[in-house]
Amino acid sequence: AATGEVTPTAALGDGTKAITYKYVDAAGNLSAASPALSITVDTTAPQMPATAPDLTNASDTGASSTDNITNDATPGFAITPPANGDSVKLYVDGVEVASTLVNGELTPVGALGDGPHAITYRYIDTAGNAGPASAGLNIRIVIPPVMRVIENSHPTQVGQDQTVEQR
């Protein structure tokens, strides 16, 4: 049996196509057409998400539920869910990060660092076409310092100070 590669001579437009081929031997004899292979060509990217991501109230731990300040290193973002079959990707400071989407809430899998971050997302269709990024959301993550009490091996007597170290 012969193996090989078949390349169309012209670009295939979007839509469902039935692909067949014929084999020509060295003597010029033409075979019957192969069974049809049905493929779908999709080069159209999804649309831009209708809304910017929004830090969820549960994740927004700042002075108000709209200040976009949080002490949650894996904050949740309310988004417009993608169309059926499509997926969504989260971007932090322009870099794709692993995330989960549950009930319209997009959450990074790994912890984000302390400081300001620009958050966007985009839809990816089943063919792998990426749509444009959503409008952005600027957030600030403020991780509180950890306070640790260093125990003294000598009992503290009334009037003596104890050392408290902040890290």
Side-chain angles (χ1 to χ4, degrees):
T3 61
E5 193 175 291
V6 177
T7 303
T9 56
L12 300 177
D14 281 8
T16 303
K17 311 291 181 197
I19 307 294
T20 61
Y21 66 91
K22 294 180 182 178
Y23 181 76
V24 178
D25 66 17
N29 299 312
L30 187 62
S31 71
S34 68
L37 171 67
S38 179
I39 65 167
T40 300
V41 177
D42 176 3
T43 61
T44 305
Q47 292 186 351
M48 179 177 161
T51 61
D54 185 28
L55 190 61
T56 62
N57 289 343
S59 290
D60 195 328
T61 59
S64 79
S65 63
T66 59
D67 62 6
N68 296 319
I69 296 174
T70 183
N71 63 11
D72 182 350
T74 55
F77 301 98
I79 67 162
T80 302
N84 283 341
D86 289 357
S87 61
V88 64
K89 291 191 177 183
L90 175 66
Y91 294 82
V92 177
D93 302 323
V95 177
E96 181 185 340
V97 298
S99 61
T100 59
L101 177 62
V102 177
N103 297 326
E105 185 172 325
L106 190 59
T107 305
V109 171
L112 305 182
D114 197 51
H117 297 285
I119 308 298
T120 59
Y121 67 103
R122 69 180 65 215
Y123 301 138
I124 312 299
D125 69 16
T126 55
N129 300 310
S134 68
L137 172 70
N138 292 316
I139 67 166
R140 176 172 291 281
I141 296 179
V142 180
I143 305 298
V146 176
M147 298 292 283
R148 187 173 70 138
V149 175
I150 299 175
E151 293 188 29
N152 189 342
S153 61
H154 304 289
T156 303
Q157 296 178 1
V158 176
Q160 284 187 323
D161 292 334
Q162 286 190 343
T163 303
V164 176
E165 183 177 317
Q166 180 177 339
R167 291 189 182 206

